Amino acid sequence: MSHIKVELKKEQVAKIKDICKSFNNEAGELINVLHKTQESFGYLPAEVQEVIARELNVSVAKVYGVVTFYSFFTMIPKGKHPISICTGTACYVRGAEKVLDEFKRILDVKVGETTPDGKFSLSCLRCVGACGLAPVVMVGEKVYGRVSPDGVKDIIKEYEQ
Amino acid sequence: METIKLTIDNKPVEVPAGTSVYQAAKNLGIDIPVLCYMNLHDLGIENKPAGCRICVVEVEGRRNLAPSCSTTCANGMVVKTHSTRVINARRTVMELILSDHPKDCLTCPKSGNCDLQDMAVKMGVRNIPGQAYAEMSTYKTDFSPSIIRDMDKCIMCRRCETMCNDFQTVGALSGVNRGFSAVVAPAFEQDLEKSPCTYCGQCVAVCPTGALTEVDHTPKVIRALADPTKTVLVQTAPAVRAALGEEFGLEAGTSVTGKMVAALRQIGFDYIFDTDFAADLTIMEEGTELLTRLGKHLSGDKDVKLPILTSCCPGWVGFFEHNYSDMLDVPSTAKSPQQMFGAIAKSYFAEKLGKKREELVVISVMPCLAKKYECQRDEFKVDGNPDVDFSISTRELAHLIKEFNINFNELADEDFDRPMGESTGASVIFGATGGVIEAATRTAYEIHTGKKLEKVDFHELRGMEGIRSATIDFNGLPINIGIAHGLGNARKLLDQVRAGKTNYHAIEIMACPGGCIGGGGQPLHHGDTSVLKARTKAIYSEDTNKVIRKSHENPYIIKLYEEFLGKPMSHKAHELLHTHYFDKSSKDIFI
Ligand code: SF4
Ligand code: SF4
Ligand code: SF4
Ligand code: FES
């Protein structure tokens, strides 16, 4: 798997070490440590996993195994403008998939990925409770309703500069 | 001890509390098929992910079938291991496993020796319903110097992970991802080469499918033999002769030294030599190094570190380069016998033949997969030409013999060529845990004390215990010796040394269970570790049957020093027979 190389700053390493220490550096606490770390970093790049592995004295492979097993852990930072497409039943029926495909095509990323410039990330959501507006797209906190595939490029344009 | 009474296939059985249904059935002589489950009892390793469900049985009063490997016996249980319901379920399980498995058995390196294939035959699977629509998970094949990972063939039994993490404590592998894309892989799904893997091959030794196999060099052997401009030398490691016979249906523990030599001659090697010769040479160098370090230490030299660690196992060398890089000055600088052989073959012997090193091809037959990697290391090359060109495993030699249509079991015994085929009993025991240090003791004792050993057998250094220690009396000087086999055991011992909690003078470490006789390139034991004990016995009886049993009495070794090397640890010996180690710890960490 390809991943974005990050250089951890001294304070960041210290922060991870503190989190590990707050769980007594216990290998059995790996999942909790990962949770806390993701809360503070937003995601879990390889370099962060390596520090955790060393601190808890487990193999890096094992840490990576846990990170990839649970879907709420992510190794990719969210984009500056996280785009979420609702794929709940109502949105799906009203063509959310075509909208999603258009986002994928224009941004050239898959679901769960971030554009190389770090601007946009793409994810799917379960029903956001705005079914009257289906299909619904969210960019950050802003909600767009009745989005058609043709409207996708206009939404992206709003955030492009 | 509390016991449990139950009935399996209408037969009553009583077992200790905590026993699995699988084991209880086994006690009755009922062999329930298993795939993911593995119990290497002698090594204290159990793999029980309960993932494959091939071992299901019917338990009266339960709605669902139960996996026998992970179901504990209970009082009054009534179990059926081969009802029609069970048989149908097992076949369905097998069909499901095979629906996501490539169907290229004919050309698979594991064909004929594959647990999955055997099981499919046993279950009578003749077609896979719905296969036409089934999507298959695919992965990039990972080629390392020693091991090929073809994860399309992985059935997620996780045996390899257990070996690598629990037994070897290397931690190169882990189950990653979930569902359809679940697979066993190194961190970040990188290649094995970028992981802390030592190439010990213990994962390969237990993989029930063709997912993990060795890099096959037999085509290169054939190419070298067919090249009229090359003189082809072969060397065979001690542990090979104690196991090769198993590939030809002989009982485990049958020594086939003479037949192996005869087969190699029929295949057409120009010189059939013995790694044992180089093992004797190793003892000369390592034994002298031990005595030198010991002497300096006793005279109060603070710069000299003890214990000295053996360095003939490249799996172990890789392990300490990754994990104990702060202790790189502790192991002996002596090269492994494989590399000593190559260095002498391409200098001393090449001179004798009046040939250039490039005209020689040196091939080794090893019980080991780490040797494939070792002989490619840059420090073992001269101007890009490796001392050992390539290494094949015991299994590959067996394939080669079959390919050449040689009737192995009917071969009459033949003897190695001279000079590099002469060896002593001390060298053959290199193949078993404790053997290297016993061989070193035989020589070091006599050199140090100037006395003849009354008995050359040191039974206190032998055995299958993971970590052992003994004190040998060097004529009033007590020498403390430590031994570990399996890298997990090595780690325990090394952590004590690092913490300064031991008073060993010398420690022998072998990466594989039982030493090289349990190497990753040996015939597959298919879970029956009693073969390791049988091979060990064969090794020690080879030793007993030798006329000369001490390395320093090998006449061709004596001659090699007289004609070429001078003395052990001489300048020339240093150049050819010693090496240095690298800090590889940073390789595992990005920051
Ligand atoms: S060869 Fe040894 S160290 Fe490498 S992955 Fe296999 S078990 Fe682990
Ligand atoms: S690689 Fe082999 S041993 Fe490892 S999980 Fe897959 S099938 Fe099992
Ligand atoms: S113990 Fe022997 S077979 Fe195993 S890695 Fe070491 S040298 Fe190779
Ligand atoms: S052998 Fe029992 S579940 Fe695999």
Side-chain angles (χ1 to χ4, degrees), chain A residues 1 5 46-47 49-51 54 59-62 64-65 68-69 75, chain B residues 161 171-178 186-189 588-591:
Chain A
M1 118 153 255
K5 251 199 169 316
E47 292 73 5
Q49 295 181 40
E50 280 164 354
V51 178
R54 210 171 8 169
S59 71
V60 187
K62 179 104 234 157
Y64 177 72
T68 52
F69 186 80
M75 286 182 64
Chain B
E161 201 186 336
L173 300 173
S174 173
V176 306
N177 300 332
R178 64 187 304 158
F188 316 122
E189 285 158 79
D588 311 332
I589 292 285
F590 282 110
I591 56 162

PDB file of all heavy atoms in Angstrom, chain A residues 1 5 46-47 49-51 54 59-62 64-65 68-69 75, chain B residues 161 171-178 186-189 588-591:
ATOM      1  N   MET A   1       0.833  -1.188   0.000  1.00  0.00           N
ATOM      2  CA  MET A   1       0.000   0.000   0.000  1.00  0.00           C
ATOM      3  C   MET A   1       0.877   1.250   0.000  1.00  0.00           C
ATOM      4  O   MET A   1       1.877   1.328   0.684  1.00  0.00           O
ATOM      5  CB  MET A   1      -0.944  -0.094   1.196  1.00  0.00           C
ATOM      6  CG  MET A   1      -0.864   0.957   2.264  1.00  0.00           C
ATOM      7  SD  MET A   1      -2.478   1.053   3.016  1.00  0.00           S
ATOM      8  CE  MET A   1      -3.084   2.534   2.333  1.00  0.00           C
ATOM      9  N   LYS A   5       4.452   9.984   2.985  1.00  0.00           N
ATOM     10  CA  LYS A   5       5.533  10.033   3.978  1.00  0.00           C
ATOM     11  C   LYS A   5       5.400  11.290   4.816  1.00  0.00           C
ATOM     12  O   LYS A   5       5.245  12.380   4.295  1.00  0.00           O
ATOM     13  CB  LYS A   5       6.878  10.043   3.262  1.00  0.00           C
ATOM     14  CG  LYS A   5       7.607   8.722   3.447  1.00  0.00           C
ATOM     15  CD  LYS A   5       9.069   8.872   3.159  1.00  0.00           C
ATOM     16  CE  LYS A   5       9.889   7.682   3.580  1.00  0.00           C
ATOM     17  NZ  LYS A   5       9.650   7.089   4.843  1.00  0.00           N
ATOM     18  N   ALA A  46       2.059   5.685   8.759  1.00  0.00           N
ATOM     19  CA  ALA A  46       3.003   4.613   9.090  1.00  0.00           C
ATOM     20  C   ALA A  46       3.962   5.027  10.198  1.00  0.00           C
ATOM     21  O   ALA A  46       4.223   4.256  11.125  1.00  0.00           O
ATOM     22  CB  ALA A  46       3.788   4.222   7.840  1.00  0.00           C
ATOM     23  N   GLU A  47       4.448   6.245  10.104  1.00  0.00           N
ATOM     24  CA  GLU A  47       5.457   6.696  11.057  1.00  0.00           C
ATOM     25  C   GLU A  47       4.902   6.717  12.482  1.00  0.00           C
ATOM     26  O   GLU A  47       5.610   6.400  13.440  1.00  0.00           O
ATOM     27  CB  GLU A  47       5.955   8.093  10.659  1.00  0.00           C
ATOM     28  CG  GLU A  47       6.752   8.140   9.364  1.00  0.00           C
ATOM     29  CD  GLU A  47       5.915   7.964   8.093  1.00  0.00           C
ATOM     30  OE1 GLU A  47       4.664   7.899   8.186  1.00  0.00           O
ATOM     31  OE2 GLU A  47       6.513   7.861   7.010  1.00  0.00           O
ATOM     32  N   GLN A  49       2.477   4.763  13.540  1.00  0.00           N
ATOM     33  CA  GLN A  49       2.327   3.363  13.943  1.00  0.00           C
ATOM     34  C   GLN A  49       3.646   2.784  14.436  1.00  0.00           C
ATOM     35  O   GLN A  49       3.684   1.971  15.351  1.00  0.00           O
ATOM     36  CB  GLN A  49       1.798   2.542  12.768  1.00  0.00           C
ATOM     37  CG  GLN A  49       0.394   2.948  12.344  1.00  0.00           C
ATOM     38  CD  GLN A  49      -0.108   2.104  11.186  1.00  0.00           C
ATOM     39  OE1 GLN A  49       0.128   0.910  11.148  1.00  0.00           O
ATOM     40  NE2 GLN A  49      -0.779   2.726  10.244  1.00  0.00           N
ATOM     41  N   GLU A  50       4.733   3.223  13.805  1.00  0.00           N
ATOM     42  CA  GLU A  50       6.040   2.705  14.216  1.00  0.00           C
ATOM     43  C   GLU A  50       6.414   3.148  15.626  1.00  0.00           C
ATOM     44  O   GLU A  50       6.962   2.370  16.407  1.00  0.00           O
ATOM     45  CB  GLU A  50       7.114   3.150  13.217  1.00  0.00           C
ATOM     46  CG  GLU A  50       7.101   2.262  11.994  1.00  0.00           C
ATOM     47  CD  GLU A  50       7.836   2.844  10.817  1.00  0.00           C
ATOM     48  OE1 GLU A  50       8.275   4.002  10.886  1.00  0.00           O
ATOM     49  OE2 GLU A  50       7.966   2.126   9.820  1.00  0.00           O
ATOM     50  N   VAL A  51       6.087   4.391  15.941  1.00  0.00           N
ATOM     51  CA  VAL A  51       6.380   4.863  17.295  1.00  0.00           C
ATOM     52  C   VAL A  51       5.554   4.065  18.300  1.00  0.00           C
ATOM     53  O   VAL A  51       6.062   3.588  19.320  1.00  0.00           O
ATOM     54  CB  VAL A  51       6.072   6.375  17.425  1.00  0.00           C
ATOM     55  CG1 VAL A  51       6.332   6.834  18.858  1.00  0.00           C
ATOM     56  CG2 VAL A  51       6.916   7.176  16.452  1.00  0.00           C
ATOM     57  N   ARG A  54       6.924   0.570  18.835  1.00  0.00           N
ATOM     58  CA  ARG A  54       8.124   0.538  19.674  1.00  0.00           C
ATOM     59  C   ARG A  54       7.755   0.765  21.138  1.00  0.00           C
ATOM     60  O   ARG A  54       8.261   0.090  22.025  1.00  0.00           O
ATOM     61  CB  ARG A  54       9.103   1.597  19.204  1.00  0.00           C
ATOM     62  CG  ARG A  54      10.529   1.192  19.464  1.00  0.00           C
ATOM     63  CD  ARG A  54      11.505   2.118  18.816  1.00  0.00           C
ATOM     64  NE  ARG A  54      10.824   3.291  18.256  1.00  0.00           N
ATOM     65  CZ  ARG A  54      11.457   4.367  17.815  1.00  0.00           C
ATOM     66  NH1 ARG A  54      12.752   4.405  17.844  1.00  0.00           N
ATOM     67  NH2 ARG A  54      10.801   5.399  17.321  1.00  0.00           N
ATOM     68  N   SER A  59       5.035  -5.760  17.319  1.00  0.00           N
ATOM     69  CA  SER A  59       5.626  -5.567  16.003  1.00  0.00           C
ATOM     70  C   SER A  59       4.829  -4.522  15.213  1.00  0.00           C
ATOM     71  O   SER A  59       3.631  -4.341  15.427  1.00  0.00           O
ATOM     72  CB  SER A  59       5.664  -6.885  15.238  1.00  0.00           C
ATOM     73  OG  SER A  59       4.370  -7.264  14.851  1.00  0.00           O
ATOM     74  N   VAL A  60       5.520  -3.841  14.310  1.00  0.00           N
ATOM     75  CA  VAL A  60       4.852  -2.865  13.454  1.00  0.00           C
ATOM     76  C   VAL A  60       3.781  -3.569  12.617  1.00  0.00           C
ATOM     77  O   VAL A  60       2.703  -3.019  12.370  1.00  0.00           O
ATOM     78  CB  VAL A  60       5.868  -2.162  12.524  1.00  0.00           C
ATOM     79  CG1 VAL A  60       5.182  -1.036  11.766  1.00  0.00           C
ATOM     80  CG2 VAL A  60       7.030  -1.610  13.324  1.00  0.00           C
ATOM     81  N   ALA A  61       4.092  -4.802  12.198  1.00  0.00           N
ATOM     82  CA  ALA A  61       3.116  -5.550  11.404  1.00  0.00           C
ATOM     83  C   ALA A  61       1.805  -5.714  12.159  1.00  0.00           C
ATOM     84  O   ALA A  61       0.720  -5.557  11.606  1.00  0.00           O
ATOM     85  CB  ALA A  61       3.699  -6.917  11.022  1.00  0.00           C
ATOM     86  N   LYS A  62       1.923  -6.005  13.449  1.00  0.00           N
ATOM     87  CA  LYS A  62       0.737  -6.209  14.287  1.00  0.00           C
ATOM     88  C   LYS A  62      -0.084  -4.909  14.368  1.00  0.00           C
ATOM     89  O   LYS A  62      -1.302  -4.918  14.235  1.00  0.00           O
ATOM     90  CB  LYS A  62       1.200  -6.624  15.690  1.00  0.00           C
ATOM     91  CG  LYS A  62       0.111  -6.857  16.670  1.00  0.00           C
ATOM     92  CD  LYS A  62      -0.103  -8.318  16.897  1.00  0.00           C
ATOM     93  CE  LYS A  62      -1.545  -8.675  16.664  1.00  0.00           C
ATOM     94  NZ  LYS A  62      -1.768 -10.055  16.344  1.00  0.00           N
ATOM     95  N   TYR A  64      -0.117  -2.430  12.291  1.00  0.00           N
ATOM     96  CA  TYR A  64      -0.724  -2.217  10.978  1.00  0.00           C
ATOM     97  C   TYR A  64      -1.925  -3.151  10.780  1.00  0.00           C
ATOM     98  O   TYR A  64      -2.952  -2.757  10.217  1.00  0.00           O
ATOM     99  CB  TYR A  64       0.318  -2.446   9.880  1.00  0.00           C
ATOM    100  CG  TYR A  64      -0.233  -2.318   8.493  1.00  0.00           C
ATOM    101  CD1 TYR A  64      -0.571  -1.068   7.977  1.00  0.00           C
ATOM    102  CD2 TYR A  64      -0.440  -3.449   7.704  1.00  0.00           C
ATOM    103  CE1 TYR A  64      -1.096  -0.956   6.702  1.00  0.00           C
ATOM    104  CE2 TYR A  64      -0.961  -3.335   6.427  1.00  0.00           C
ATOM    105  CZ  TYR A  64      -1.287  -2.096   5.930  1.00  0.00           C
ATOM    106  OH  TYR A  64      -1.813  -1.974   4.678  1.00  0.00           O
ATOM    107  N   GLY A  65      -1.783  -4.384  11.272  1.00  0.00           N
ATOM    108  CA  GLY A  65      -2.888  -5.345  11.185  1.00  0.00           C
ATOM    109  C   GLY A  65      -4.135  -4.815  11.867  1.00  0.00           C
ATOM    110  O   GLY A  65      -5.239  -4.894  11.328  1.00  0.00           O
ATOM    111  N   THR A  68      -5.674  -1.765   9.962  1.00  0.00           N
ATOM    112  CA  THR A  68      -6.400  -2.098   8.736  1.00  0.00           C
ATOM    113  C   THR A  68      -7.624  -2.967   8.992  1.00  0.00           C
ATOM    114  O   THR A  68      -8.462  -3.131   8.122  1.00  0.00           O
ATOM    115  CB  THR A  68      -5.489  -2.822   7.721  1.00  0.00           C
ATOM    116  OG1 THR A  68      -4.868  -3.927   8.384  1.00  0.00           O
ATOM    117  CG2 THR A  68      -4.436  -1.886   7.173  1.00  0.00           C
ATOM    118  N   PHE A  69      -7.707  -3.544  10.200  1.00  0.00           N
ATOM    119  CA  PHE A  69      -8.852  -4.402  10.490  1.00  0.00           C
ATOM    120  C   PHE A  69     -10.085  -3.563  10.840  1.00  0.00           C
ATOM    121  O   PHE A  69     -11.194  -3.864  10.414  1.00  0.00           O
ATOM    122  CB  PHE A  69      -8.521  -5.359  11.634  1.00  0.00           C
ATOM    123  CG  PHE A  69      -9.604  -6.371  11.891  1.00  0.00           C
ATOM    124  CD1 PHE A  69      -9.717  -7.499  11.086  1.00  0.00           C
ATOM    125  CD2 PHE A  69     -10.520  -6.193  12.918  1.00  0.00           C
ATOM    126  CE1 PHE A  69     -10.715  -8.433  11.302  1.00  0.00           C
ATOM    127  CE2 PHE A  69     -11.534  -7.127  13.130  1.00  0.00           C
ATOM    128  CZ  PHE A  69     -11.627  -8.246  12.327  1.00  0.00           C
ATOM    129  N   MET A  75      -5.351   5.662   7.573  1.00  0.00           N
ATOM    130  CA  MET A  75      -3.946   6.029   7.404  1.00  0.00           C
ATOM    131  C   MET A  75      -3.800   7.258   6.520  1.00  0.00           C
ATOM    132  O   MET A  75      -2.702   7.686   6.221  1.00  0.00           O
ATOM    133  CB  MET A  75      -3.172   4.871   6.780  1.00  0.00           C
ATOM    134  CG  MET A  75      -2.918   3.745   7.765  1.00  0.00           C
ATOM    135  SD  MET A  75      -1.970   2.420   7.024  1.00  0.00           S
ATOM    136  CE  MET A  75      -0.414   3.222   6.659  1.00  0.00           C
TER     137      MET A  75
ATOM    138  N   GLU B 161       2.100 -16.730  10.835  1.00  0.00           N
ATOM    139  CA  GLU B 161       2.117 -15.629  11.795  1.00  0.00           C
ATOM    140  C   GLU B 161       2.502 -16.152  13.178  1.00  0.00           C
ATOM    141  O   GLU B 161       3.290 -15.529  13.894  1.00  0.00           O
ATOM    142  CB  GLU B 161       0.708 -15.025  11.815  1.00  0.00           C
ATOM    143  CG  GLU B 161       0.633 -13.638  12.319  1.00  0.00           C
ATOM    144  CD  GLU B 161      -0.819 -13.175  12.442  1.00  0.00           C
ATOM    145  OE1 GLU B 161      -1.710 -13.713  11.740  1.00  0.00           O
ATOM    146  OE2 GLU B 161      -1.062 -12.290  13.260  1.00  0.00           O
ATOM    147  N   GLY B 171       8.222 -10.983  14.309  1.00  0.00           N
ATOM    148  CA  GLY B 171       7.144 -10.025  14.072  1.00  0.00           C
ATOM    149  C   GLY B 171       7.138  -9.438  12.675  1.00  0.00           C
ATOM    150  O   GLY B 171       6.730  -8.306  12.475  1.00  0.00           O
ATOM    151  N   ALA B 172       7.595 -10.223  11.694  1.00  0.00           N
ATOM    152  CA  ALA B 172       7.586  -9.703  10.319  1.00  0.00           C
ATOM    153  C   ALA B 172       6.186  -9.767   9.722  1.00  0.00           C
ATOM    154  O   ALA B 172       5.865  -9.025   8.798  1.00  0.00           O
ATOM    155  CB  ALA B 172       8.558 -10.486   9.450  1.00  0.00           C
ATOM    156  N   LEU B 173       5.347 -10.671  10.221  1.00  0.00           N
ATOM    157  CA  LEU B 173       4.050 -10.929   9.587  1.00  0.00           C
ATOM    158  C   LEU B 173       2.895 -10.652  10.547  1.00  0.00           C
ATOM    159  O   LEU B 173       3.017 -10.832  11.746  1.00  0.00           O
ATOM    160  CB  LEU B 173       3.971 -12.389   9.149  1.00  0.00           C
ATOM    161  CG  LEU B 173       5.000 -12.878   8.142  1.00  0.00           C
ATOM    162  CD1 LEU B 173       4.876 -14.382   7.963  1.00  0.00           C
ATOM    163  CD2 LEU B 173       4.831 -12.161   6.816  1.00  0.00           C
ATOM    164  N   SER B 174       1.768 -10.251   9.943  1.00  0.00           N
ATOM    165  CA  SER B 174       0.546 -10.124  10.727  1.00  0.00           C
ATOM    166  C   SER B 174      -0.645 -10.256   9.787  1.00  0.00           C
ATOM    167  O   SER B 174      -0.542  -9.951   8.605  1.00  0.00           O
ATOM    168  CB  SER B 174       0.501  -8.767  11.420  1.00  0.00           C
ATOM    169  OG  SER B 174      -0.757  -8.588  12.044  1.00  0.00           O
ATOM    170  N   GLY B 175      -1.763 -10.714  10.330  1.00  0.00           N
ATOM    171  CA  GLY B 175      -2.994 -10.673   9.562  1.00  0.00           C
ATOM    172  C   GLY B 175      -3.355  -9.214   9.373  1.00  0.00           C
ATOM    173  O   GLY B 175      -3.337  -8.450  10.328  1.00  0.00           O
ATOM    174  N   VAL B 176      -3.654  -8.808   8.139  1.00  0.00           N
ATOM    175  CA  VAL B 176      -4.037  -7.415   7.901  1.00  0.00           C
ATOM    176  C   VAL B 176      -5.327  -7.375   7.078  1.00  0.00           C
ATOM    177  O   VAL B 176      -5.701  -8.355   6.434  1.00  0.00           O
ATOM    178  CB  VAL B 176      -2.922  -6.614   7.167  1.00  0.00           C
ATOM    179  CG1 VAL B 176      -1.606  -6.713   7.912  1.00  0.00           C
ATOM    180  CG2 VAL B 176      -2.753  -7.086   5.733  1.00  0.00           C
ATOM    181  N   ASN B 177      -5.973  -6.241   7.091  1.00  0.00           N
ATOM    182  CA  ASN B 177      -7.240  -6.010   6.387  1.00  0.00           C
ATOM    183  C   ASN B 177      -8.325  -6.940   6.911  1.00  0.00           C
ATOM    184  O   ASN B 177      -8.088  -7.756   7.792  1.00  0.00           O
ATOM    185  CB  ASN B 177      -7.083  -6.178   4.881  1.00  0.00           C
ATOM    186  CG  ASN B 177      -6.068  -5.216   4.309  1.00  0.00           C
ATOM    187  OD1 ASN B 177      -5.872  -4.133   4.853  1.00  0.00           O
ATOM    188  ND2 ASN B 177      -5.402  -5.615   3.249  1.00  0.00           N
ATOM    189  N   ARG B 178      -9.518  -6.827   6.338  1.00  0.00           N
ATOM    190  CA  ARG B 178     -10.596  -7.703   6.788  1.00  0.00           C
ATOM    191  C   ARG B 178     -11.409  -8.181   5.602  1.00  0.00           C
ATOM    192  O   ARG B 178     -11.305  -7.647   4.508  1.00  0.00           O
ATOM    193  CB  ARG B 178     -11.475  -6.991   7.799  1.00  0.00           C
ATOM    194  CG  ARG B 178     -12.213  -5.791   7.220  1.00  0.00           C
ATOM    195  CD  ARG B 178     -12.923  -5.043   8.309  1.00  0.00           C
ATOM    196  NE  ARG B 178     -13.817  -5.957   9.009  1.00  0.00           N
ATOM    197  CZ  ARG B 178     -14.252  -5.740  10.246  1.00  0.00           C
ATOM    198  NH1 ARG B 178     -13.882  -4.672  10.911  1.00  0.00           N
ATOM    199  NH2 ARG B 178     -15.071  -6.584  10.811  1.00  0.00           N
ATOM    200  N   PRO B 186       3.646  -8.392   5.775  1.00  0.00           N
ATOM    201  CA  PRO B 186       4.480  -7.511   6.588  1.00  0.00           C
ATOM    202  C   PRO B 186       3.780  -6.160   6.783  1.00  0.00           C
ATOM    203  O   PRO B 186       2.798  -5.854   6.101  1.00  0.00           O
ATOM    204  CB  PRO B 186       5.751  -7.320   5.756  1.00  0.00           C
ATOM    205  CG  PRO B 186       5.760  -8.449   4.791  1.00  0.00           C
ATOM    206  CD  PRO B 186       4.317  -8.748   4.513  1.00  0.00           C
ATOM    207  N   ALA B 187       4.314  -5.341   7.677  1.00  0.00           N
ATOM    208  CA  ALA B 187       3.744  -4.023   7.956  1.00  0.00           C
ATOM    209  C   ALA B 187       3.596  -3.225   6.671  1.00  0.00           C
ATOM    210  O   ALA B 187       4.476  -3.255   5.807  1.00  0.00           O
ATOM    211  CB  ALA B 187       4.642  -3.269   8.936  1.00  0.00           C
ATOM    212  N   PHE B 188       2.485  -2.524   6.550  1.00  0.00           N
ATOM    213  CA  PHE B 188       2.175  -1.656   5.407  1.00  0.00           C
ATOM    214  C   PHE B 188       2.174  -2.421   4.085  1.00  0.00           C
ATOM    215  O   PHE B 188       2.374  -1.837   3.016  1.00  0.00           O
ATOM    216  CB  PHE B 188       3.141  -0.460   5.366  1.00  0.00           C
ATOM    217  CG  PHE B 188       3.342   0.153   6.720  1.00  0.00           C
ATOM    218  CD1 PHE B 188       4.601   0.250   7.285  1.00  0.00           C
ATOM    219  CD2 PHE B 188       2.247   0.590   7.455  1.00  0.00           C
ATOM    220  CE1 PHE B 188       4.774   0.783   8.567  1.00  0.00           C
ATOM    221  CE2 PHE B 188       2.411   1.113   8.733  1.00  0.00           C
ATOM    222  CZ  PHE B 188       3.676   1.200   9.279  1.00  0.00           C
ATOM    223  N   GLU B 189       1.987  -3.741   4.205  1.00  0.00           N
ATOM    224  CA  GLU B 189       1.965  -4.617   3.025  1.00  0.00           C
ATOM    225  C   GLU B 189       3.178  -4.397   2.130  1.00  0.00           C
ATOM    226  O   GLU B 189       3.089  -4.472   0.905  1.00  0.00           O
ATOM    227  CB  GLU B 189       0.639  -4.463   2.265  1.00  0.00           C
ATOM    228  CG  GLU B 189      -0.488  -5.166   3.018  1.00  0.00           C
ATOM    229  CD  GLU B 189      -1.861  -4.649   2.677  1.00  0.00           C
ATOM    230  OE1 GLU B 189      -2.370  -5.045   1.623  1.00  0.00           O
ATOM    231  OE2 GLU B 189      -2.412  -3.845   3.464  1.00  0.00           O
ATOM    232  N   ASP B 588      13.975  -0.885  10.044  1.00  0.00           N
ATOM    233  CA  ASP B 588      12.600  -1.215  10.424  1.00  0.00           C
ATOM    234  C   ASP B 588      11.796   0.021  10.779  1.00  0.00           C
ATOM    235  O   ASP B 588      10.607  -0.042  11.006  1.00  0.00           O
ATOM    236  CB  ASP B 588      12.601  -2.144  11.643  1.00  0.00           C
ATOM    237  CG  ASP B 588      13.552  -3.286  11.442  1.00  0.00           C
ATOM    238  OD1 ASP B 588      13.758  -3.647  10.278  1.00  0.00           O
ATOM    239  OD2 ASP B 588      14.084  -3.804  12.425  1.00  0.00           O
ATOM    240  N   ILE B 589      12.448   1.136  10.871  1.00  0.00           N
ATOM    241  CA  ILE B 589      11.790   2.326  11.403  1.00  0.00           C
ATOM    242  C   ILE B 589      12.029   3.473  10.433  1.00  0.00           C
ATOM    243  O   ILE B 589      13.128   3.662   9.940  1.00  0.00           O
ATOM    244  CB  ILE B 589      12.399   2.663  12.791  1.00  0.00           C
ATOM    245  CG1 ILE B 589      12.037   1.592  13.808  1.00  0.00           C
ATOM    246  CG2 ILE B 589      12.024   4.030  13.264  1.00  0.00           C
ATOM    247  CD1 ILE B 589      10.637   1.618  14.322  1.00  0.00           C
ATOM    248  N   PHE B 590      10.997   4.233  10.147  1.00  0.00           N
ATOM    249  CA  PHE B 590      11.148   5.349   9.217  1.00  0.00           C
ATOM    250  C   PHE B 590      11.824   6.550   9.857  1.00  0.00           C
ATOM    251  O   PHE B 590      12.492   7.316   9.208  1.00  0.00           O
ATOM    252  CB  PHE B 590       9.781   5.793   8.688  1.00  0.00           C
ATOM    253  CG  PHE B 590       9.255   4.887   7.628  1.00  0.00           C
ATOM    254  CD1 PHE B 590       8.166   4.078   7.881  1.00  0.00           C
ATOM    255  CD2 PHE B 590       9.844   4.840   6.376  1.00  0.00           C
ATOM    256  CE1 PHE B 590       7.674   3.237   6.906  1.00  0.00           C
ATOM    257  CE2 PHE B 590       9.350   4.005   5.403  1.00  0.00           C
ATOM    258  CZ  PHE B 590       8.264   3.201   5.671  1.00  0.00           C
ATOM    259  N   ILE B 591      11.543   6.726  11.138  1.00  0.00           N
ATOM    260  CA  ILE B 591      12.014   7.984  11.750  1.00  0.00           C
ATOM    261  C   ILE B 591      13.287   7.772  12.544  1.00  0.00           C
ATOM    262  O   ILE B 591      13.601   6.685  12.922  1.00  0.00           O
ATOM    263  CB  ILE B 591      10.944   8.610  12.657  1.00  0.00           C
ATOM    264  CG1 ILE B 591      10.515   7.589  13.720  1.00  0.00           C
ATOM    265  CG2 ILE B 591       9.764   9.048  11.838  1.00  0.00           C
ATOM    266  CD1 ILE B 591       9.819   8.213  14.876  1.00  0.00           C
TER     267      ILE B 591
END
